[in-house]
Amino acid sequence: MADPNGFLSQPRVDAAKRAVDERLGDWREVYRHLDPDDRDRQVRAQATRCMDCGIPFCHSGSAGCPLGNLIPEWNDLVRGGHWPMASERLHATNNFPEFTGRLCPAPCEAACVLAISPDSGGAVTIKRVENTIADVSWERGYVRPVTPAVSTGRTVAIVGSGPAGLAAAQQLTRAGHEVTVFERDDRLGGLLRYGIPEFKLEKKVLDRRLAQLRAEGTRFVTGCEVGGAGPGAMPVERLRAEFDAVVLAVGALRGRDAPNIPGRDLAGVHLAMDHLVPANRQCEGDGPTPVDAHGKHVIIIGGGDTGADCYGTAIRQGAASVVQLDQYPQPPNTRDDDRSPWPVWPWILRTYAAHEEGGERRFAVAVDRFVGDADGTLTAVQLREVRVHKNPTTGVREVVPLNDEVHVLPADLVLLAIGFEGVEHLPLLDALNLKLTPRGTLACGRDWQTTTPGTFVCGDAHRGASLVVWAIAEGRSTAHAVDAYLTGASDLPAPVHPNALPLAVR
Ligand SMILES: Cc1cc2nc3c(=O)[nH]c(=O)nc-3n(C[C@H](O)[C@H](O)[C@H](O)COP(=O)(O)OP(=O)(O)OC[C@H]3O[C@@H](n4cnc5c(N)ncnc54)[C@H](O)[C@@H]3O)c2cc1C
Ligand code: SF4
């Protein structure tokens, strides 16, 4: 039984970060590693704040954890120091809690009953408890390979090794199928590897989990584009002939560009991923990045997660200045109950660790021109103050200048972090005769099967650019559907959120 008064005696204490000077001297994770005894004591006190509220909005429903993590249950186990059982309950719903514990924006905390009133001292630090259970599980050897008890003799190909593909692979291997993951990159992990910077997720955390999957029997083939034409590629016909089912976890990596802004072709204007991928490769030891911010005036266009990752990366590379631009007005610091009432995800100012490290953010501004020199090299950006509104007649979002005033900022490097437009134009789409939704994602039915029988989809390829927690949740759900397709019924956990996205095709 949880302590109903715990939140009254224990204040919320977030995980401590390393000092800014220290973390800018390396690429390691920003959070401080505490002495294990201190950490366990602190986190047990934090778990005590979970009061057994009766209807835990945090762990289910449209506002809470997409994985259905059994939050009150493991909070109570941690409170009592029952770490092995907490680990078992956490892994029952989440294959990779060390990823979500580090990366998730924690919609569960926004939906915590303690978040209703500021007088409560704030939500339970659910993400911190989750991350600590995950770390303790690895340190104390609770995470071991779980090898299947039976072999079904059925084969499954998974295309893409991001969190969605990995979660599907682990579930299906454990169900006794022979699973092979095909990845076109030279290393595994998808955006966990080459999108998300080391200072948010050290790649050794990913590698130890991959070792577990290998030990359980999942096979991996890297440098292999399914449907591609290059060396090592896997033709779609062979894939269909050799495997009983195919899961497409190919992500939604088609970066949104800004072709209509004059000067887009100048040297020095890049998509965000042109910056983040080689920066991550450099951390892996692949040599210097060609898009280095060192000594440069950097402008990041786009106020979201990807922009914040460019921000922290540029600062670590030694940028002369970093300015992040957002066309929307600055959100409030606290929840606006009229606009986003509890328990929904609130519209508030999100300040990432990178924003504490220097640089500047500007809101309600948009670039209307990139300025260059005679050689075609970027030298500045021209900004206008703007308002974003929806055209009442067409319903289309419009960005309208507020006045004629123009601001000029020096710029040597511009990074476009303005989102993703769905699945890339991959050769395998035509080869498998797949249909796209109007959002550029792969259409599927409620059983996660695409318009091509025996071919399933999960993760960003299905949802559009989203979150690690959703990728894992969809990988697990799709595994259940594939297992049922192959064997007639499945003992794997059923989807927490049934696939409600329609089979809208064009
Ligand atoms: C810069 C950045 C930062 C982010 N930060 C966060 C964060 O902090 N927290 C969070 O929750 N989410 C974050 N996200 C979102 C999160 O990373 C994604 O939602 C998640 O990785 C999606 O997982 P996925 O498995 O669907 O796809 P991906 O991770 O995109 O993996 C898809 C994989 O498929 C491979 N592939 C594609 N086509 C083929 C083919 N034909 N053959 C073989 N392989 C193929 C690709 O190479 C890739 O490895 C971030 C995203 C970006 C871009
Ligand atoms: S995965 Fe995300 S939403 Fe779920 S419990 Fe962990 S932090 Fe909360």
Side-chain angles (χ1 to χ4, degrees):
M1 164 71 191
D3 176 357
N5 297 317
F7 71 99
L8 296 172
S9 57
Q10 299 292 342
R12 176 181 166 115
V13 181
D14 286 298
K17 296 185 199 112
R18 296 191 289 139
V20 169
D21 281 353
E22 184 191 328
R23 62 196 205 222
L24 292 187
D26 58 47
W27 288 90
R28 288 181 25 241
E29 284 176 4
V30 300
Y31 288 95
R32 193 185 301 159
H33 287 284
L34 297 178
D35 165 78
D37 289 340
D38 288 346
R39 176 199 61 192
D40 295 1
R41 199 169 16 82
Q42 280 188 25
V43 170
R44 284 180 64 176
Q46 290 305 299
T48 300
R49 298 188 68 245
C50 181
M51 59 176 158
D52 194 9
C53 56
I55 302 178
F57 287 79
C58 59
H59 89 156
S60 63
S62 53
C65 176
L67 284 160
N69 272 351
L70 305 166
I71 297 163
E73 234 181 277
W74 40 254
N75 272 334
D76 195 37
L77 290 164
V78 168
R79 181 177 77 91
H82 307 297
W83 295 98
M85 273 171 75
S87 173
E88 191 277 316
R89 299 314 286 146
L90 177 53
H91 283 93
T93 56
N94 186 354
N95 298 64
F96 313 128
E98 67 278 24
F99 304 161
T100 47
R102 287 167 168 79
L103 300 169
C104 190
C108 55
E109 293 190 20
C112 174
V113 166
L114 286 182
I116 298 175
S117 163
D119 298 338
S120 71
V124 175
T125 53
I126 298 168
K127 178 175 159 177
R128 184 179 180 195
V129 177
E130 176 177 38
N131 201 34
T132 307
I133 299 172
D135 283 352
V136 165
S137 303
W138 283 99
E139 285 161 21
R140 300 187 192 161
Y142 309 149
V143 182
R144 296 191 199 97
V146 180
T147 43
V150 291
S151 170
T152 64
R154 312 307 299 271
T155 53
V156 184
I158 305 224
V159 187
S161 68
L166 294 178
Q170 186 163 60
Q171 294 295 94
L172 287 165
T173 300
R174 289 177 176 180
H177 306 298
E178 266 182 42
V179 177
T180 307
V181 178
F182 295 94
E183 171 55 57
R184 67 182 171 186
D185 280 336
D186 55 344
R187 294 186 181 91
L188 299 166
L191 286 171
L192 297 174
R193 175 77 61 185
Y194 285 138
I196 294 168
E198 186 84 0
F199 58 82
K200 276 167 62 180
L201 176 76
E202 289 178 13
K203 303 314 167 203
K204 65 183 182 196
V205 172
L206 171 58
D207 289 332
R208 70 184 177 189
R209 188 56 88 169
L210 288 168
Q212 184 206 28
L213 267 74
R214 275 199 186 89
E216 290 173 350
T218 300
R219 292 181 208 151
F220 293 97
V221 184
T222 52
C224 175
E225 182 179 357
V226 172
M234 169 67 134
V236 164
E237 303 71 43
R238 217 180 108 199
L239 192 81
R240 298 284 285 164
E242 290 181 11
F243 292 90
D244 298 316
V246 174
V247 176
L248 299 170
V250 293
L253 296 162
R254 183 147 51 92
R256 183 168 292 133
D257 209 330
N260 297 330
I261 301 182
R264 167 65 185 89
D265 293 338
L266 291 168
V269 183
H270 293 274
L271 294 182
M273 296 307 279
D274 297 344
H275 178 232
L276 293 173
V277 173
N280 270 310
R281 285 190 170 282
Q282 187 167 354
C283 287
E284 296 269 6
D286 290 352
T289 168
V291 187
D292 196 338
H294 185 78
K296 294 182 179 161
H297 295 291
V298 180
I299 304 287
I300 298 160
I301 302 181
D305 286 24
T306 305
D309 288 351
C310 292
Y311 197 106
T313 301
I315 289 180
R316 278 165 183 72
Q317 288 175 340
S321 67
V322 178
V323 183
Q324 185 176 12
L325 309 176
D326 193 335
Q327 60 190 5
Y328 291 97
Q330 179 166 343
N333 287 323
T334 53
R335 188 193 283 273
D336 172 349
D337 283 328
D338 292 332
R339 189 168 173 157
S340 49
W342 181 90
V344 302
W345 184 239
W347 181 67
I348 53 170
L349 179 67
R350 311 228 167 249
T351 298
Y352 299 88
H355 294 130
E356 301 160 359
E357 295 168 352
E360 182 194 345
R361 283 195 281 178
R362 294 182 66 167
F363 294 89
V365 289
V367 169
D368 72 355
R369 171 178 297 277
F370 301 115
V371 183
D373 62 17
D375 297 334
T377 302
L378 176 77
T379 55
V381 296
Q382 196 172 290
L383 295 184
R384 306 277 294 268
E385 286 169 28
V386 296
R387 181 171 63 90
V388 182
H389 79 142
K390 205 182 240 183
N391 183 309
T393 318
T394 62
V396 174
R397 205 176 48 89
E398 291 174 349
V399 182
V400 188
L402 283 182
N403 51 46
D404 292 336
E405 210 178 327
V406 168
H407 306 264
V408 176
L409 297 181
D412 309 301
L413 176 61
V414 162
L415 300 169
L416 298 169
I418 49 179
F420 293 85
E421 292 186 328
V423 175
E424 296 160 276
H425 300 297
L426 301 167
L428 71 74
L429 301 188
D430 284 343
L432 280 168
N433 194 24
L434 294 170
K435 302 284 185 292
L436 293 178
T437 67
R439 296 172 57 239
T441 54
L442 295 181
C444 73
R446 292 193 189 280
D447 61 354
W448 303 88
Q449 204 161 179
T450 66
T451 42
T452 301
T455 302
F456 297 76
V457 62
C458 58
D460 280 7
H462 167 249
R463 299 185 67 76
S466 181
L467 296 172
V468 171
V469 63
W470 272 112
I472 300 172
E474 291 210 351
R476 290 170 64 85
S477 300
T478 302
H480 174 87
V482 172
D483 190 31
Y485 169 82
L486 293 174
T487 64
S490 179
D491 288 335
L492 290 175
V496 176
H497 294 271
N499 174 16
L501 300 182
L503 182 66
V505 293
R506 66 169 178 195

